[in-house]
């Protein structure tokens, strides 16, 4: 690990000031992605701005039909939250299958989405449920937030403060996990919302994406049998030592059908 300056922010304003004054500063939330990268010398930030002590960034609350989750809220808190389990049980299920207990008790929703790991679970929840990411300066629709592999729409001096999830009519998340890391080889969030069906896929490609073809047939009949004839092309999907692009394409349909069956 390379040397760096450490800052512990007490407010969002403190964090923003430290970030803007640094040469190449990074925000430290749960550290589940950033710290391992630093240990392997794959990342070399000049400054680490620890935002764990900012009270305004934690907590889960209802705002009308939306569930609002603070950026520093741990995965374990989302998984066990009575509010989340009542309003969007699929989101609680997703949070409960992230990594292992150690990861769930350290990792945060804000850190998970800001890193935009292609195999992370939360991107499927945000896009599949039509969530909105709230930063210190603006709201960003989930589909505009995730840009590419490890790339988001965040500006260098912008901080995620919360994520709001509209309550769907029905939803479920299913994933095929890597047996070692528990990252998703393929994960699918299927939801029926007031605006129509949504199917968001993580793990399969460089970035979370929607299947418009699946959504179109589910708009007519929200049932797993409707997806049986749909195949996902492997072009552009991830291929590595864990799974080929063709295998991931097959898993997308399998996980999507399981998700819809669980939702109904």
């Amino acid at each position: 690990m390379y040397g760096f300056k450490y800052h512990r922010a007490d407010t969002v304003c403190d964090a923003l000031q430290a970030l803007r004054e640094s040469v190449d500063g990074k925000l430290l939330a749960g550290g589940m992605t950033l710290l391992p990268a630093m240990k392997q010398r794959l990342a070399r930030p000049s400054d680490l701005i620890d935002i764990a002590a900012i009270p305004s960034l934690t907590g889960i609350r209802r705002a009308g039909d939306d569930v609002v989750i603070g950026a520093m809220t741990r995965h374990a808190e989302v998984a066990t939250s009575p509010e989340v389990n009542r309003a969007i049980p699929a989101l609680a299920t997703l949070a409960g299958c992230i990594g292992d207990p150690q990861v769930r008790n350290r990792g945060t929703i804000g850190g998970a989405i800001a890193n935009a790991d292609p195999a992370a679970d939360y991107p499927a929840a945000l896009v599949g449920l039509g969530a909105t990411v709230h930063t210190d300066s603006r709201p960003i629709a989930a589909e505009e937030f995730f840009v590419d592999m490890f790339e988001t729409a965040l500006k260098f001096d912008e901080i995620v403060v919360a994520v709001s999830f509209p309550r769907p009519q029905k939803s479920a998340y299913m994933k095929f996990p890597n047996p070692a890391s528990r990252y998703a080889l393929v994960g699918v969030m299927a939801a029926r919302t007031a605006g129509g069906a949504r199917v968001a896929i993580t793990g399969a490609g460089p970035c979370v994406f929607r299947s418009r073809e699946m959504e179109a047939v589910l708009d007519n009949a929200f049932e797993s049998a409707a997806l049986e004839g749909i195949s996902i092309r492997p072009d552009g999907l991830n291929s590595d030592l864990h799974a080929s692009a063709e295998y991931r394409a097959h898993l997308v349909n399998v996980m999507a059908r399981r998700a819809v069956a669980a939702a109904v």
Side-chain angles (χ1 to χ4, degrees), residues 29-261:
M32 295 295 95
T33 299
L34 179 58
L35 293 182
M38 291 175 64
K39 289 178 180 179
Q40 297 176 55
R41 295 197 168 192
L42 299 174
R44 190 179 184 177
S46 62
D47 299 69
L48 278 188
I49 299 100
D50 190 341
I51 58 175
I54 302 177
S56 63
L57 296 183
T58 60
I60 300 169
R61 61 183 176 86
R62 287 290 296 272
D65 286 335
D66 288 4
V67 174
V68 182
I69 303 176
M72 282 300 300
T73 306
R74 314 288 180 180
H75 309 322
E77 295 174 80
V78 177
T80 58
S81 164
E83 199 67 74
V84 176
N85 276 279
R86 279 194 298 268
I88 316 176
L91 183 58
T93 298
L94 179 147
C97 70
I98 296 174
D100 53 30
Q102 289 81 3
V103 169
R104 291 193 290 274
N105 280 282
R106 285 297 304 167
T108 66
I109 185 171
I113 65 173
N115 280 293
D117 191 301
D121 297 288
Y122 268 123
L126 268 70
V127 174
L129 297 171
T132 300
V133 178
H134 301 272
T135 75
D136 60 283
S137 59
R138 59 178 174 145
I140 308 173
E143 287 183 76
E144 298 173 2
F145 181 81
F146 299 103
V147 177
D148 207 339
M149 184 180 291
F150 300 112
E151 183 182 354
T152 70
L154 285 173
K155 300 174 183 176
F156 81 95
D157 61 347
E158 198 169 19
I159 298 177
V160 175
V161 297
V163 183
S164 59
F165 293 88
R167 184 177 183 177
Q169 297 169 356
K170 298 177 183 291
S171 63
Y173 179 69
M174 288 287 167
K175 78 169 176 178
F176 192 93
N178 180 303
S181 68
R182 312 304 295 172
Y183 274 108
L185 287 178
V186 166
V188 178
M189 175 65 80
R192 189 172 76 181
T193 73
R198 298 176 71 94
V199 178
I201 301 149
T202 190
C207 185
V208 61
F209 63 94
R210 290 172 66 181
S211 172
R212 304 291 182 175
E213 185 179 5
M214 288 183 175
E215 292 174 353
V217 299
L218 290 175
D219 276 335
N220 293 324
F222 197 86
E223 55 189 36
S224 60
L227 301 177
E228 289 181 1
I230 295 178
S231 60
I232 300 295
R233 294 183 59 83
D235 305 33
L237 297 188
N238 297 334
S239 184
D240 51 35
L241 60 88
H242 303 295
S244 66
E246 290 76 15
Y247 186 56
R248 281 187 165 92
H250 169 72
L251 282 177
V252 169
N253 185 276
V254 174
M255 293 300 108
R257 282 188 280 124
R258 290 182 183 179
V260 172

